[in-house]
Amino acid sequence: WYQRRVREAVVSTQSTGYRGVDNVFSIDDEEDDDVIGGASSSEESDREMINITLWEGRSDILHCFSVEEITPDGKMFPSVLMLTATHLYNIRRASQREGMGFIRYRFAFSAIARITAKKKHPDVITFKFIKENQELLAYRFLIPDSKTVTSQITNLIPPEL
């Protein structure tokens, strides 16, 4: 009788979460960037660190927008979208050094396949890019005043021939 009660108690403490789904939330004490879409510290050390303030003052930079990059696993990273006449740059702010960042990627405006937003979350913008090998890449951002940003980008996309 006693062993059966202990076994039942142990089984009942191993919860499968709400409606049988494992817990999707976690609280970490450390910043953990070693995930898909996130930059690991080794990845950041391989990339060139740039001074965002100096880049914002460059003559070829037409517009700069402070945004939050949303990774596929839902993490958000402060970033800057910079627009030149031909390219879109995503620069992720360095968490360790104020005013510095890493160029995550740059795409020609001609590589933008689609820009979308959800009706319920109009400030969450998804950019879909086509790479040389016809692979479709999607990047999401939380963009305050997203209408202004997307209209600036749309105006820089070259018309199809």
Side-chain angles (χ1 to χ4, degrees), residues 41-117:
S41 56
S42 63
E43 183 180 336
E44 287 181 349
S45 65
D46 291 342
R47 295 204 170 146
E48 177 186 0
M49 185 177 285
I50 64 161
N51 185 321
I52 293 172
T53 307
L54 290 178
W55 269 57
E56 288 174 338
R58 287 177 33 172
S59 61
D60 61 332
I61 301 294
L62 302 175
H63 304 283
C64 297
F65 304 101
S66 290
V67 300
E68 295 281 331
E69 180 183 357
I70 305 171
T71 61
D73 62 353
K75 289 189 176 186
M76 296 176 65
F77 295 94
S79 300
V80 177
L81 289 181
M82 292 189 183
L83 311 179
T84 67
T86 56
H87 286 83
L88 168 75
Y89 288 83
N90 174 25
I91 300 171
R92 183 178 289 173
R93 293 185 185 275
S95 58
Q96 307 299 328
R97 298 185 61 192
E98 185 69 29
M100 303 296 281
F102 300 94
I103 298 175
R104 293 270 297 137
Y105 60 79
R106 80 176 188 141
F107 284 104
F109 289 120
S110 59
I112 295 177
R114 177 174 261 179
I115 302 172
T116 59

Side-chain angles (χ1 to χ4, degrees), residues 116-128:
T116 59
K118 300 282 186 192
K119 284 185 179 180
K120 290 186 178 183
H121 304 285
D123 287 345
V124 176
I125 306 296
T126 302
F127 292 96
K128 293 186 179 176

Side-chain angles (χ1 to χ4, degrees), residues 138-152:
Y139 296 95
R140 289 188 314 157
F141 296 91
L142 177 63
I143 304 176
D145 195 22
S146 60
K147 287 185 181 185
T148 301
V149 176
T150 55
S151 69
Q152 293 291 341

